[in-house]
Amino acid sequence: MGKLKVGILISGRGSNMAALVEAARDPGFPAEVCCVLANRPDAKGLEFARERGIPAVLVDHKAYPSKAAFEAAVTDELLTHGVDFVCLAGFMRIVSPTFIERWHNRLINIHPSLLPSYKGLHTHERALADGVKLAGCTVHFVRAEMDVGPIVAQAAVPVLAGDTPDSLAARILTAEHHLYPLAVRLIAEGKATVTGEVVEIAPEAADETARLFSAR
Ligand code: GAR
């Protein structure tokens, strides 16, 4: 069976993209990164991709008259690079229902909270304000409603005394870098499949999709 051909959409730093690129360097990893696409010219991640010989494409949303035109250009670039599965990795544009339909069940996102808690922005600030004792991250299939969709995998980290939004974000980000490659691997191996509006995990992978990360 061939590898899953992945395109990664970013807007900035791209550390999750980098984690996927690094994971895919292992010849045994069942997915390959065909291109990295950013909607901002200053997205740092583009440089990282280029340095590793991965096609790095800028599709600047400001250069298009409408969201529809921008997203059509994104899809064109993805198809040009042979992509058949899309990972949003810190892509800070809300994607339209048309784009989501075009990539139905072939479009996933990573979000820095344990969904369905803390959809949207400022997840860490809000979690700290609520005094939660576990925080984390989620990889999910994308649906029209923001930060909603069948959940592939989640990782939890403790919230520690004295945490700031930055310290909590850093702890969660470390978990994200493990979780995203895991989720892509399970999907590529056919061990995580959307059934109805839930992701079914193959029994042999069941203990991989819920992860606990230690404090440090
Ligand atoms: C990550 O923490 C990701 O979960 C979050 O943005 C950060 C991107 O970092 N995504 C969202 O908040 C999406 N709603 P990165 O560019 O270093 O991967």
Side-chain angles (χ1 to χ4, degrees), residues 117-135:
S117 292
Y118 304 112
K119 297 166 185 162
L121 297 175
H122 310 299
T123 52
H124 313 305
E125 286 86 340
R126 287 153 55 211
L128 288 174
D130 286 342
V132 301
K133 302 298 180 255
L134 281 175

Side-chain angles (χ1 to χ4, degrees), residues 10-17 89-92 109-112 120-121 123-124 137 147 169 172-173 176-177:
I10 64 170
S11 293
R13 180 177 57 186
S15 69
N16 276 293
M17 173 275 294
F91 185 67
M92 301 316 249
N109 179 45
I110 188 156
H111 181 74
L121 297 175
T123 52
H124 313 305
C137 49
D147 298 328
I172 292 173
L173 193 65
E176 291 183 48
H177 296 162

Side-chain angles (χ1 to χ4, degrees), residues 104-175:
H104 185 66
N105 286 348
R106 291 184 294 144
L107 175 63
I108 60 175
N109 179 45
I110 188 156
H111 181 74
S113 78
L114 292 172
L115 292 174
S117 292
Y118 304 112
K119 297 166 185 162
L121 297 175
H122 310 299
T123 52
H124 313 305
E125 286 86 340
R126 287 153 55 211
L128 288 174
D130 286 342
V132 301
K133 302 298 180 255
L134 281 175
C137 49
T138 303
V139 176
H140 66 97
F141 283 89
V142 176
R143 295 293 183 258
E145 201 179 328
M146 193 174 64
D147 298 328
V148 168
I151 290 171
V152 182
Q154 293 184 301
V157 304
V159 178
L160 302 180
D163 259 339
T164 63
D166 282 352
S167 65
L168 182 56
R171 192 174 308 118
I172 292 173
L173 193 65
T174 302

